[in-house]
Amino acid sequence: MVIDGMHGFGNLKTLPAGPLREPLHEAFEKTDAFILIGKDNRGTVTMLPSNKPLFNAHVRPIASNLPENKNIIAFAGLGQPQKFYHFLKELGYNVLSWHPFPDHHAYSESTLESLVREAEGKNAALVTTEKDYMRLLQSPYRDNIAHIKIEIAFNDTPALSAFLKECLA
């Protein structure tokens, strides 16, 4: 079970009243291990069964075409776009303007043109997620937009590898 440390299990309710797809006790019975991504801001770890392993991980950048030490205008169309904003701030970027969009947003050329003009007007780089960047393949503005590739890094990779080998044996 993968758990976002920022949100934990939300309000502990199942859909449609909350974020859970099934009651926690049922999910815990089917779970072999837990992966907590980021800091445990909700005390989630205290709710987990102690007889199952917990692996900690975090998101880190692996590549970027974003110039260093530059102000940025950022946009993202994710399920929780504010996570990208906080990620940029944690990396030390000066986010002059933030434009969140719904998940899988279909960016119009006029929206992209407006974002590019804003970045040019503020002498800032325009940046988005790799996911959003890949959706702009046909856009004439794509070359004006930087993106950051990320990966999940585990705090104890050998322990995770040993666990997976044991489970798959």
Side-chain angles (χ1 to χ4, degrees):
M1 178 182 294
V2 178
I3 305 163
D4 177 348
M6 184 182 291
H7 299 285
F9 298 121
N11 64 3
L12 303 176
K13 296 183 185 216
T14 57
L15 293 170
L20 302 179
R21 295 180 181 164
E22 61 186 329
L24 280 180
H25 69 277
E26 291 178 21
F28 288 168
E29 288 176 16
K30 300 178 204 174
T31 300
D32 294 314
F34 300 94
I35 297 172
L36 177 69
I37 300 178
K39 295 177 185 172
D40 184 13
N41 293 338
R42 304 284 301 249
T44 305
V45 170
T46 62
M47 302 169 67
L48 304 179
S50 60
N51 64 335
K52 297 186 180 187
L54 169 65
F55 301 99
N56 292 288
H58 58 280
V59 176
R60 70 176 177 199
I62 55 172
S64 170
N65 62 349
L66 185 60
E68 290 186 30
N69 301 321
K70 190 163 185 182
N71 295 329
I72 64 172
I73 305 297
F75 71 98
L78 304 170
Q80 296 178 12
Q82 71 279 9
K83 288 176 67 175
F84 183 59
Y85 171 81
H86 292 296
F87 181 66
L88 293 169
K89 297 292 277 183
E90 287 173 11
L91 292 176
Y93 290 108
N94 184 22
V95 182
L96 297 178
S97 183
W98 167 239
H99 301 275
F101 293 93
D103 200 13
H104 305 290
H105 183 71
Y107 297 101
S108 67
E109 292 305 314
S110 63
T111 297
L112 294 172
E113 179 183 12
S114 175
L115 290 168
V116 167
R117 283 189 180 168
E118 179 183 2
E120 289 172 351
K122 293 181 178 178
N123 193 29
L126 181 59
V127 64
T128 192
T129 64
E130 182 182 20
K131 174 187 166 188
D132 285 304
Y133 185 75
M134 295 309 293
R135 298 181 75 233
L136 305 176
L137 289 173
Q138 304 302 318
S139 174
Y141 299 105
R142 190 169 194 254
D143 291 342
N144 300 88
I145 301 169
H147 64 286
I148 297 176
K149 293 182 181 185
I150 61 169
E151 70 178 0
I152 300 296
F154 289 90
N155 297 4
D156 189 351
T157 304
L160 177 63
S161 293
F163 171 78
L164 291 174
K165 286 177 184 174
E166 182 181 320
C167 286
L168 297 174

